[in-house]
Amino acid sequence: MNTGQVLLVDDDPTLLQALPHAISLRMSGVEVETADSAQVALAMIQQHAYDAIVSDIKMPGMDGLDLLATVQKQHPETPVVLMTGHGEHDIAIRALRGGAYDYLLKPIDRDDFMASLQRALQTRQFRRQIEEQQRALERYALSLQRLVEQRTAELRASNAAKDAMLSMIAHELTSALTGVKGMMGVSNLQRPSSNGMEQVRQGVVESPLQRLERLIHDLQDASFIQTNRLALHCTRSDLVELCRSVLDAYLAGTGGALVFEILDNHLQAVVDPVRISQALLNLLANARKYSPEGSPISVTLQRRGREAIISVRDQGPGIPEEQLPHIGEPFYRVPGSGVLSGASAGLGLGLYLARTMVEQHGGRLEVQSQPGNGSTFSMVLSLEAACAEH
Ligand code: ADP
């Protein structure tokens, strides 16, 4: 059954009487109000939103097409059915182009009139349903947006709390370590210096104190990175020389099997040599730790386009594919992986530090690994200055 409120506009008083009567007989749920001019109709439209408007086109003063234009502006959701005389096809076309829902020819055929009005009311009903669904969707989208904002704020707060905690722990441990070393009469093991070679201690058999110091330095670097306090001191560096001195120092400490392949002899890049050495050492230390004692490790330095690639390849058990996306996350350790030779396991920060340090140079850390087939970690560095030279 159709329901709704209809406004009927016509300057013909006979039609204004006959049509509402016919509607009340055939569509009992429909209420009809009438206006004998477009001006009167306009005033009524300001007061009330009708479900459908049926209007004559030709009326003295304002005509049905002008009325249609106003309804389109003020109540675009209200279907307007226009009525016009026989033979006035151009007017009918203008009506449709102007956005009329339908048009009827006079003299009005009652069945056509009822069918058209019924469709117009149904259309209004569908439009209302769509509007309601849209509003419900908008409400839902808004509630989702609020939820995301709330969760983001919570995450930010807990992340900031974690950063503050990490920074505090690193700071407290550093001062405790300085105190212990003072009591033991051990000189301060330094933070990375200008050539970064103090870092070449991971390969050497470490004393418990040295190991503790390395872990604390890693924690401190992680804290610097997470609070954007890690500053790079970049300078134009010879990458062949940089790799060679890191490897020499590493070999002097471990005496392990290591092959260094230089595929391009003149590779210079603007980098922080301390941090790049530190990243390379972390990769070397891992290659040693996570592969069997004595198995060969190869380091390759090569150019690919505008990039230099320093790769460290080992013959270890490799990393399962599903773990690869997590490699380089802070504190991440592959479940079940154990140290196979040399130094003891760390905190899961070595690759995080290597990755972020390389990334801060505008580069990236790539991993290729297959279980049983070893792993290759590659530092990809831009040969064009990616960080400011000091
Ligand atoms: P960790 O201090 O545990 O060595 P890293 O960040 O250096 O931390 O490495 C993270 C994890 O990635 C390690 O715990 C290990 O499981 C895995 N891993 C790193 N390097 C290798 C490698 N060369 N071969 C196999 N697994 C590796």
Side-chain angles (χ1 to χ4, degrees), residues 25-80:
L25 289 180
R26 299 226 206 156
M27 293 190 245
S28 57
V30 175
E31 285 171 33
V32 185
E33 289 183 18
T34 56
D36 59 5
S37 72
Q39 285 88 342
V40 173
L42 269 189
M44 294 171 79
I45 288 163
Q46 308 300 331
Q47 303 295 320
H48 190 79
Y50 292 92
D51 296 303
I53 296 171
V54 183
S55 172
D56 189 15
I57 292 183
K58 283 203 164 167
M59 289 181 287
M62 190 183 188
D63 71 8
L65 292 175
D66 291 337
L67 178 65
L68 169 69
T70 311
V71 174
Q72 288 278 296
K73 256 190 232 137
Q74 295 182 357
H75 300 280
E77 67 291 345
T78 305
V80 178

Side-chain angles (χ1 to χ4, degrees), residues 66 168 295 297:
D66 291 337
M168 190 193 70
S295 68
I297 295 168

Side-chain angles (χ1 to χ4, degrees), residues 286-287 289-290 314 318-319 327 332-334 337 345-352 375 377:
N286 280 351
K289 280 193 296 185
Y290 300 108
D314 65 53
I319 300 166
I327 288 293
Y332 183 76
R333 313 202 61 240
V334 175
S337 82
L347 296 169
L349 284 177
L351 289 180
Y352 168 65
S375 309
F377 284 82

Side-chain angles (χ1 to χ4, degrees), residues 244-265:
R244 212 188 285 283
S245 57
V246 172
L247 265 57
D248 285 351
Y250 180 81
L251 280 172
T254 61
L258 203 149
V259 179
F260 183 30
E261 245 189 314
I262 306 166
L263 300 182
D264 285 278
N265 255 312

